[in-house]
Amino acid sequence: MRASVTLSQVAREAGVSLATASRAINGSANRTVRPDLRDRVLEAAERLRYSPDANAQAMARGRTTSLGLIVHDIADPYFSSIAAGVGLAAERADLAVTLASTQHDPSREPRFVELLTRQRARAIIVAGGRRDDDEANGRMREALEDFRHSGGTVALIGQPLLDVDTVVISNRSSSADLARALHEHGYRRFGVLAGPTDHLTACDRLAGFTEALDELGTPPPEGAVVHSAFTRDGGYEAMSTLLRQGPPVELVFAVNDVMAVGAIAAARDRGTAVPQDVAVAGFDDIVTLRDITPALTTVRVPLIEVGIAATELALAAPGDEPRLVHVGGTVVLRESTPPRG
């Protein structure tokens, strides 16, 4: 077998120092090479069929070609769709994506940022709603600031609380639009599966939905708002609680689609037909809804485009102030909420 060509051999072939050859091929964070010398080195490398070492290039440039993506739960189609968008945009920029999932544990986020900082990631994208926890948000803010001081760039998908560029989804106004559309469909008695009390995305969606119902004169009755985990199982448990001990309702709004899927399963297990006995709506329009019967009414968020927008923000030159990209939602009425006469 032919021995691998070394950078020293390339330097000798080009008639330059090893340091010059390294800067010409691997790049440098603070030194440049004269164009004629770079051409000599690259021509020598091509003649010798030299393959540069990716780790050496990263050390020389101060950054790797990886982009870190931190999500709450990669098994959730919401985050997998965002990850698909991030992957598309990263590929266009010749970057590879390193994925980390916190499993809904906010304490893991700063640790992942610190790991990506040590690995010299080019940029970090953090996807998912923030918690109403000043201490946890403060730790994350410090970790991201350290990463930026090391030369990396950052973008967030969620609430703009961490002093970085952020893609902001219109959770509050879109859930209000959904409430108005359902009211126009003839619904008057609403229940809400509201997610965790400290999850800001869940809180925004609950607030937008109930504020619109208040304006319409049909607020949810006492006991019709049930809090639970922001997951499929959380939706199942909350729906079971509402059907078992809550007031009678015509329609249940789950603050995300995976909770709505759990809610439909809970209704089925209790012998409650959807939508004949109770209608169900969600939020996000995740891709797996195409397999749900009845087809779920929801708010469509362009999740792949959200991932692309966050990646473009993360890779853009930093601005003087954090930039915000606002993304709206679109109400999609389907068979799970038929019009009431």
Side-chain angles (χ1 to χ4, degrees):
M1 293 182 60
R2 179 178 176 178
S4 298
V5 176
T6 67
L7 186 59
S8 295
Q9 291 173 295
V10 173
R12 286 197 299 271
E13 177 76 8
V16 300
S17 69
L18 179 59
T20 297
S22 176
R23 288 194 290 271
I25 291 177
N26 297 323
S28 172
N30 49 27
R31 298 287 296 276
T32 59
V33 178
R34 282 188 355 233
D36 61 315
L37 294 181
R38 181 183 295 106
D39 290 343
R40 279 166 50 187
V41 171
L42 295 179
E43 289 168 2
E46 185 175 1
R47 285 196 301 273
L48 298 176
R49 297 183 181 179
Y50 171 74
S51 296
D53 183 273
N55 289 329
Q57 289 182 324
M59 292 293 290
R61 295 170 182 167
R63 295 285 107 194
T64 65
T65 56
S66 71
L67 182 152
L69 172 61
I70 301 173
V71 302
H72 291 175
D73 183 2
I74 192 56
D76 185 333
Y78 174 90
F79 292 109
S80 59
S81 293
I82 288 175
V86 171
L88 286 172
E91 184 178 2
R92 294 171 191 163
D94 293 325
L95 298 175
V97 178
T98 299
L99 178 64
S101 177
T102 68
Q103 298 301 311
H104 298 278
D105 180 358
S107 69
R108 301 181 71 184
E109 283 186 330
R111 297 205 296 269
F112 284 135
V113 173
E114 291 161 5
L115 175 62
L116 290 164
T117 301
R118 292 196 299 272
Q119 293 177 346
R120 300 190 181 189
R122 165 70 177 80
I124 292 176
I125 297 168
V126 184
R130 310 312 309 160
R131 295 278 182 164
D132 185 14
D133 185 332
D134 290 341
E135 183 178 350
N137 288 330
R139 288 194 297 269
M140 188 60 170
R141 189 179 293 107
E142 290 175 4
L144 293 175
E145 186 65 20
D146 288 344
F147 177 73
R148 291 194 292 170
H149 281 158
S150 77
T153 52
V154 177
L156 175 70
I157 300 170
Q159 290 75 25
L161 300 178
L162 302 182
D163 302 326
V164 298
D165 295 340
T166 304
V167 177
V168 183
I169 296 170
S170 61
N171 293 305
R172 198 175 190 119
S173 61
S174 295
S175 59
D177 291 341
L178 176 63
R180 296 186 191 100
L182 294 171
H183 187 275
E184 187 174 340
H185 246 29
Y187 292 95
R188 296 296 180 267
R189 299 197 311 274
F190 294 87
V192 183
L193 312 185
T197 58
D198 65 343
H199 193 293
L200 295 182
T201 294
C203 292
D204 285 343
R205 294 177 181 181
L206 170 64
F209 195 79
T210 56
E211 286 167 2
L213 292 181
D214 287 342
E215 293 171 2
L216 294 166
T218 55
E222 184 177 352
V225 176
V226 183
H227 293 277
S228 67
F230 203 62
T231 62
R232 181 268 180 199
D233 290 345
Y236 186 100
E237 294 167 5
M239 186 68 154
S240 299
T241 298
L242 181 60
L243 293 176
R244 184 176 64 251
Q245 63 190 47
V249 296
E250 299 169 335
L251 183 142
V252 173
F253 168 52
V255 294
N256 71 28
D257 285 342
V258 293
M259 292 182 67
V261 170
I264 292 173
R268 181 186 63 237
D269 290 349
R270 289 183 60 85
T272 301
V274 177
Q276 293 85 353
D277 298 327
V278 62
V280 176
F283 196 115
D284 291 327
D285 201 28
I286 57 176
V287 293
T288 49
L289 292 187
R290 67 192 64 176
D291 300 321
I292 299 299
T293 302
L296 184 68
T297 287
T298 188
V299 173
R300 176 179 294 151
V301 179
L303 296 172
I304 291 177
E305 288 78 4
V306 166
I308 291 172
T311 307
E312 291 174 348
L313 265 185
L315 298 180
D320 294 333
E321 297 292 334
R323 293 162 292 196
L324 304 182
V325 174
H326 293 273
V327 176
T330 304
V331 173
V332 181
L333 299 174
R334 297 192 178 111
E335 288 82 357
S336 68
T337 60
R340 292 181 65 86

